[in-house]
Amino acid sequence: MTIRSLKSVEELHDAGLIGRQSLESLRPVADRYAVAVTPAMVKLIDPSDSKDPIGLQFIPSDAELVQTPQERADPISDEAHSPVHGVVHRYPDRVLLKAVHICPVYCRFCFRREMVGPQGNGTLTPQELSAALDYIRDHDEIWEVILTGGDPLVLSPRRLSAIMDGLKSISHVKIIRFHTRVPVVDPDRIDAELVDALKSSGKTTYVALHANHPRELTTEARAACARMIDAGIAMVSQSVLLKGINDDPSVLAELMRAFVEMRVKPYYLHHPDLAPGTSHFRLDIEEGQRIVAALRGRISGLCQPTYVLDLPGGHGKAVIGQNAASKHADGCYTVSDFNGNDHLYP
C-alpha cells in the first residue's frame, strides 16, 4: 500500500499516530496551524512513545494553543524588512527570497507558522517574482540570495529553473542558497532533474539542510544529499535546539557527526524563536550554552555548530555561546547584535 502525506488530525488518527481523545483536543490546533507529515517521517515515528523525538516535531500538541506574552506572529520581524513582497533585506549583502510559503512537513516549532501552509502567504505570482528580481537587480550590494519560505524545494524543477534563470543575469549575485527540509522528509524528490535545476544559474549553489535529530538522517536522506554534493552543490546544516528532542550533548554530537560524515558542514544551531504556541520547545539560554559547551572536546571542530539567536525586532542573528549573552536579576538577557548594539531578550 502506498503511504501518502498526512495533512489533517483525522488522517493522523487513522494512521494510528494519535488517539481518539487527542483527535478532539487537537482539532483547534490544526484549525490554526498547518499539519503535514510525509511518508518518510511517518515511517520514523514510534506511535507508542509519546516522547518520540520525530513525532514531537510533526504531530500537533494542545500545548500549541498556549501563547506567552513575549511570543509574536512575526518573531524576527521579516515584514519590517520586506521592501517588496517575497523579499527580506535585513543584512547589507544578502536577501531572503520567499518564493513559496508551502512546506512538505509543518514543524510544530516553526517560526513562520503564521505565514506558511495552505492558508498562508501562498506562492509568489509571476508579477511578484518579477518585482522581487527587479529589487535584487537594482541593489548591487546583494551578493547572496537565500531561497526560503516555506520550502523552496517543493517547487517543480521547471519553476526552480525559472527562478535560477532570473538570478543568472544579475551579475552582482554570486551565491544562491536554499534552505530546505526536503532531502530528509521527501528524499526521492531530489532527483537528477531537480539537481540540474539547482545548478542551472551557473552560480555557486549552497543547500542548507534542516534536521534536528540523528534518526532523521536515514539511508535515503543521506543518498539524496549525496546526489547534490556529487553534482558540485555544497551543503551546510541548520538545526534548532529543542527541549525534549535534541537538548542532550550526546544526541547533538551524534547529529553533528552524522552531518560531517555526509559531507554536510554543521553551520547554525538556532535557539528557538518566540513564535506563538512554541514555549514548550524553548530552553533557557544558559541551559543551551551548557549543552553547546559540552560539545567542546567531545566532538571534532569540524562538527561544531554556531549557537545563534535571531533577535526579536528584526535585529538579526547574535552568537550566544558562552559569555555572549548576560542574564539580569529579572530573568531577562542582554544580547548584542551584529552591529554591536545591545537588546533585551525575555
Side-chain angles (χ1 to χ4, degrees):
M1 182 179 70
T2 300
I3 302 175
R4 59 185 179 83
S5 292
L6 308 178
K7 297 185 177 181
S8 69
V9 290
E10 288 77 15
E11 291 180 343
L12 292 176
H13 171 264
D14 293 344
L17 296 179
I18 61 173
R20 170 61 61 180
Q21 186 174 0
S22 296
L23 173 62
E24 299 305 321
S25 65
L26 293 179
R27 281 196 173 110
V29 181
D31 287 343
R32 178 166 182 184
Y33 303 118
V35 173
V37 189
T38 58
M41 294 298 97
V42 170
K43 288 192 292 186
L44 288 183
I45 295 171
D46 180 358
S48 67
D49 182 3
S50 63
K51 297 182 179 180
D52 178 73
I54 311 301
L56 289 175
Q57 293 185 63
F58 304 118
I59 296 176
S61 162
D62 53 13
E64 295 174 51
L65 297 176
V66 178
Q67 184 167 341
T68 67
Q70 298 93 346
E71 293 174 344
R72 56 193 77 182
D74 185 10
I76 62 171
S77 298
D78 276 354
E79 292 301 320
H81 295 273
S82 184
V84 298
H85 186 54
V87 171
V88 178
H89 196 174
R90 180 178 288 110
Y91 300 98
D93 71 338
R94 56 204 182 276
V95 296
L96 303 182
L97 177 57
K98 298 194 288 185
V100 62
H101 286 81
I102 304 297
C103 297
V105 294
Y106 293 105
C107 304
R108 309 322 303 170
F109 48 87
C110 177
F111 70 101
R112 292 196 179 111
R113 61 195 330 223
E114 300 278 14
M115 307 172 194
V116 300
Q119 307 303 318
N121 290 354
T123 301
L124 293 186
T125 66
Q127 295 77 18
E128 289 168 337
L129 178 58
S130 179
L133 292 173
D134 284 344
Y135 177 87
I136 295 168
R137 187 175 293 108
D138 291 342
H139 288 75
D140 60 10
E141 73 273 24
I142 297 173
W143 173 79
E144 180 181 25
V145 174
I146 302 166
L147 281 100
T148 182
D151 194 317
L153 296 195
V154 302
L155 295 170
S156 68
R158 178 185 62 81
R159 296 194 71 174
L160 286 170
S161 292
I163 294 171
M164 297 297 266
D165 285 346
L167 294 169
K168 183 176 185 177
S169 63
I170 304 176
S171 61
H172 54 265
V173 172
K174 305 297 185 184
I175 307 294
I176 302 174
R177 190 197 325 173
F178 291 84
H179 284 187
T180 184
R181 250 191 179 298
V182 165
V184 162
V185 303
D186 191 8
D188 290 344
R189 191 173 183 85
I190 309 297
D191 58 15
E193 188 179 8
L194 188 141
V195 171
D196 286 344
L198 296 181
K199 296 187 63 182
S200 62
S201 70
K203 298 180 185 293
T204 301
T205 302
Y206 278 79
V207 169
L209 176 69
H210 176 184
N212 300 310
H213 193 276
R215 275 177 47 207
E216 296 175 54
L217 303 178
T218 61
T219 299
E220 294 79 8
R222 292 169 187 248
C225 292
R227 288 193 286 275
M228 291 188 286
I229 296 167
D230 289 344
I233 296 172
M235 292 191 69
V236 297
S237 77
Q238 55 179 357
S239 305
V240 185
L241 184 59
L242 298 163
K243 185 183 294 185
I245 293 171
N246 58 16
D247 57 334
D248 181 318
S250 63
V251 172
L252 279 181
E254 184 181 353
L255 175 65
M256 298 302 154
R257 285 194 186 108
F259 282 140
V260 172
E261 291 165 9
M262 294 165 57
R263 297 175 287 168
V264 176
K265 177 67 180 80
Y267 183 34
Y268 279 147
L269 178 64
H270 293 269
H271 191 78
D273 294 311
L274 295 171
T278 63
S279 61
H280 54 296
F281 287 113
R282 285 198 298 276
L283 296 80
D284 183 278
I285 284 179
E286 285 185 329
E287 186 177 356
Q289 290 172 330
R290 286 193 294 271
I291 291 169
V292 171
L295 294 178
R296 292 291 174 187
R298 181 188 292 257
I299 55 176
S300 164
L302 287 172
C303 303
Q304 303 289 340
T306 301
Y307 184 33
V308 295
L309 170 71
D310 246 315
L311 285 162
H315 300 287
K317 290 181 180 66
V319 177
I320 55 170
Q322 285 182 308
N323 303 320
S326 57
K327 191 172 186 179
H328 300 259
D330 62 1
C332 291
Y333 294 83
T334 296
V335 183
S336 296
D337 66 18
F338 67 104
N339 287 317
N341 299 316
D342 289 339
H343 304 272
L344 284 178
Y345 180 81

